[in-house]
Amino acid sequence: MKAKGTSGSAPGKHRGSGKSGAAGRAGNSAGNRGKAKEVPAWMADLPVKIGQQVEAEIVGISHDGEGVGRANGFTLFVAGALPGERALVRVEHLKKQYGYAALVELLETSPDRVAPDCLIYEECGGCQLQHLSYEAQLRVKRQQVVDNLVRIGKLENIIVHPTLGMADPWRYRNKAQVPFGEERGGLIGGFYAQGSHRIIDMEACLIQHEANDEVVARVKEIGSRLGIRAYREETGTGLLRHVVVKVGFRTGEIMVVLVTNGADIPRVDEWVAGIREALPAVKSICHNINVRQTNVIFGDETRVLWGSEVIYDYIGDVKFAISARSFFQVNPVQTEVLYGKALEYAALTGGETVVDAYCGIGTISLFLAQRAGQVYGVEIVEEAISDARKNAALNGMMNVHFEAGPAEVVLPEWTRQGVRPDVIVVDPPRKGCDPALLATILELRPRRVVYVSCSASTLARDLRVLVDGGYGVAEVTPVDMFPHTVHVESVALLVR
């Protein structure tokens, strides 16, 4: 799961076909029977031109991990460039207010630049920041949070702590979702090249647990030996679409999920026997059927081919059952850090009533239940609520109640039943909280709101609503859940 390059042409998802300069213009001319393509008036007035090579001062880094450059006063996004660098770049695409350019040559190099450890970093699109030192990554992520609070939330002078990073920011992912293809008569499996659906075959992904690499390697080997064909998007033919691997960091248990384009797997008993023989730590082998022409990984039906339907892992002292399709945080080490900060901000003394909106399979709810009087978790996905109840039973926690439905509907109903939350915790998806939920929070007026966010921009937007409704942002702590990528999670404390 690696990322775009740090030198050369550095192709990226904004750059279209990859044709550049004279080659691209020649193609356009031939297609128009020699007629020059008319340049829009607004483009003619810009200080840079498509195909032009210009010097750019890199002054920042975007939310996509691209260098933010200035050339002749114009903003250019440059994949692979870092703040503090001066670079020769080639302009490839222009908008009225900004453009995109390819990195041609570094003229001055940032002291924070490092050589990526991954061998396929320049091809793969999974990471974006391996060419930036880890200490600098943590600074960039904090600044991303600050910038969003100021620009989007209009929230200034907020305490934003340094990003909580990892002592060892490698091999942290407990789940791999690997697309499969074919090459030279055998199976390949890896990750998609930046901005495409071309599979980059890989032997090792340095942010995945080593067990994930081992499973993928063995599945390739066994599948190729058994003559299994990979799914082809363009024709909808072939069988093996993805292999999903989940590993319990504390338990060492492994689940393998074969996602196929059809209900039948040829020589399935040999496949299962081969996986069990090669990988004794595997406790579950599942089969998910997805016959739709879609880029969604899972279909609706999952079967157990061998072993258990779940594996187990821990966050702190709380044990969780993890099924093939259940959501579980992919970085268990930092999840404990993230939830620990949420628990600190909740300031529980043992008697409080806590509501956990967007509770999923109950991960935060059960973490908080260790210190709260009563926890109420709500989640719109009924399957997740079923898993949450099982996880509460697994841990013998009787002070947790879970209910399926929209939080903005369920919370008022709980209020009518006499539930008065002292603390509300929200951990919404990337799109942020539903406006109706924010309105409900303001009506219920809990003493504290703890907002766990995976998007700095929607965090800033939602905090603005809560501040306008009478809350103050006490502090925010960024947490690095995904080292070497641009993503940053945050925990914000609001008090009434």
Side-chain angles (χ1 to χ4, degrees), residues 28 37 44 56 71 76 130 185 195 256 261 278 309 314 333-334 338 350 359 376 379 399 412 424 445 454 487:
N28 288 336
K37 190 173 181 180
L76 291 171
Q130 272 197 38
V256 181
N261 178 43
E309 67 177 356
Y314 289 83
V333 174
Q334 288 296 88
L338 184 77
C359 71
Y376 293 82
E379 166 66 54
N399 62 333
I424 292 181
R445 294 182 58 76
C454 62
H487 303 296

Side-chain angles (χ1 to χ4, degrees), residues 77-101:
F77 294 101
V78 185
L82 295 175
E85 294 185 329
R86 189 166 59 88
L88 182 65
V89 304
R90 182 178 62 252
V91 180
E92 294 199 335
H93 186 67
L94 290 172
K95 301 279 189 178
K96 290 184 178 181
Q97 303 297 326
Y98 59 90
Y100 296 94

Side-chain angles (χ1 to χ4, degrees), residues 138-163 456-457 459-460 476 478 488 490:
L138 298 180
R139 295 196 303 270
V140 162
K141 292 183 180 189
R142 177 190 179 273
Q143 192 60 46
Q144 183 184 130
V145 173
V146 171
D147 291 345
N148 278 276
L149 290 175
V150 173
R151 294 173 187 169
I152 296 175
K154 306 295 187 251
L155 299 166
E156 304 207 22
N157 302 315
I158 303 296
I159 298 171
V160 180
H161 295 288
T163 307
S457 60
L459 170 68
V476 179
V488 60
S490 304

Side-chain angles (χ1 to χ4, degrees), residues 267-474:
R267 304 171 71 178
V268 65
D269 292 340
E270 294 176 68
W271 188 298
V272 170
I275 292 173
R276 291 182 59 194
E277 181 181 356
L279 303 157
V282 170
K283 302 298 181 186
S284 172
I285 303 175
C286 296
H287 175 206
N288 179 268
I289 302 163
N290 185 359
V291 296
R292 293 172 292 182
Q293 287 194 293
T294 173
N295 58 5
V296 175
I297 292 174
F298 283 122
D300 295 330
E301 183 180 354
T302 304
R303 307 168 177 173
V304 177
L305 297 178
W306 174 85
S308 171
E309 67 177 356
V310 299
I311 60 171
Y312 296 96
D313 205 6
Y314 289 83
I315 299 174
D317 296 326
V318 185
K319 188 176 184 180
F320 291 92
I322 305 163
S323 63
R325 295 180 60 191
S326 65
F327 173 78
F328 192 70
Q329 290 278 9
V330 300
N331 185 338
V333 174
Q334 288 296 88
T335 296
E336 194 165 339
V337 173
L338 184 77
Y339 291 179
K341 183 57 65 173
L343 186 61
E344 174 192 326
Y345 282 176
L348 303 176
T349 60
E352 292 85 359
T353 296
V354 181
V355 166
D356 177 13
Y358 305 102
C359 71
I361 65 169
T363 47
I364 292 182
S365 300
L366 300 183
F367 208 73
L368 296 170
Q370 299 172 99
R371 303 271 187 89
Q374 188 73 34
V375 176
Y376 293 82
V378 58
E379 166 66 54
I380 199 167
V381 180
E382 292 190 8
E383 185 178 357
I385 288 296
S386 175
D387 286 342
R389 290 169 178 156
K390 292 175 184 175
N391 285 323
L394 181 65
N395 289 277
M397 292 184 175
M398 307 301 292
N399 62 333
V400 190
H401 171 78
F402 292 106
E403 191 163 332
E408 60 273 14
V409 174
V410 174
L411 263 65
E413 180 58 33
W414 282 342
T415 302
R416 286 189 284 273
Q417 296 170 12
V419 176
R420 296 288 185 271
D422 301 296
V423 180
I424 292 181
V425 178
V426 296
D427 183 11
R430 189 163 296 278
K431 66 180 181 179
C433 290
D434 188 289
L437 174 60
L438 295 175
T440 301
I441 292 172
L442 293 175
E443 288 177 14
L444 295 178
R445 294 182 58 76
R447 178 171 50 86
R448 289 177 173 236
V449 176
V450 179
Y451 194 129
V452 180
S453 168
C454 62
S455 168
S457 60
T458 54
L459 170 68
R461 180 200 67 198
D462 291 349
L463 292 187
R464 179 73 261 170
V465 174
L466 294 172
V467 167
D468 289 345
Y471 282 85
V473 181

Side-chain angles (χ1 to χ4, degrees), residues 139-269:
R139 295 196 303 270
V140 162
K141 292 183 180 189
R142 177 190 179 273
Q143 192 60 46
Q144 183 184 130
V145 173
V146 171
D147 291 345
N148 278 276
L149 290 175
V150 173
R151 294 173 187 169
I152 296 175
K154 306 295 187 251
L155 299 166
E156 304 207 22
N157 302 315
I158 303 296
I159 298 171
V160 180
H161 295 288
T163 307
L164 298 178
M166 300 186 73
D168 180 10
W170 300 100
R171 296 294 188 181
Y172 59 82
R173 287 186 62 96
N174 60 13
K175 180 177 75 171
Q177 300 181 142
V178 179
F180 268 66
E182 292 181 28
E183 194 173 272
R184 296 185 296 275
L187 293 175
I188 63 170
F191 300 101
Y192 291 123
Q194 178 71 24
S196 80
H197 272 203
R198 179 174 62 87
I199 296 172
I200 304 296
D201 195 27
M202 66 105 188
E203 295 181 3
C205 173
L206 301 182
I207 63 172
Q208 296 284 351
H209 191 285
E210 290 90 338
N212 293 341
D213 288 344
E214 182 67 14
V215 170
V216 172
R218 297 289 77 78
V219 167
K220 279 191 236 179
E221 176 188 300
I222 296 165
S224 296
R225 187 172 72 241
L226 296 178
I228 301 297
R229 303 300 303 271
Y231 175 72
R232 298 185 63 181
E233 280 187 338
E234 60 272 22
T235 62
T237 60
L239 182 69
L240 184 61
R241 300 175 70 127
H242 280 80
V243 171
V244 177
V245 189
K246 299 187 176 188
V247 57
F249 268 44
R250 293 262 292 276
T251 63
E253 297 179 355
I254 298 173
M255 171 181 284
V256 181
V257 186
L258 307 174
V259 183
T260 66
N261 178 43
D264 298 318
I265 301 178
R267 304 171 71 178
V268 65
D269 292 340

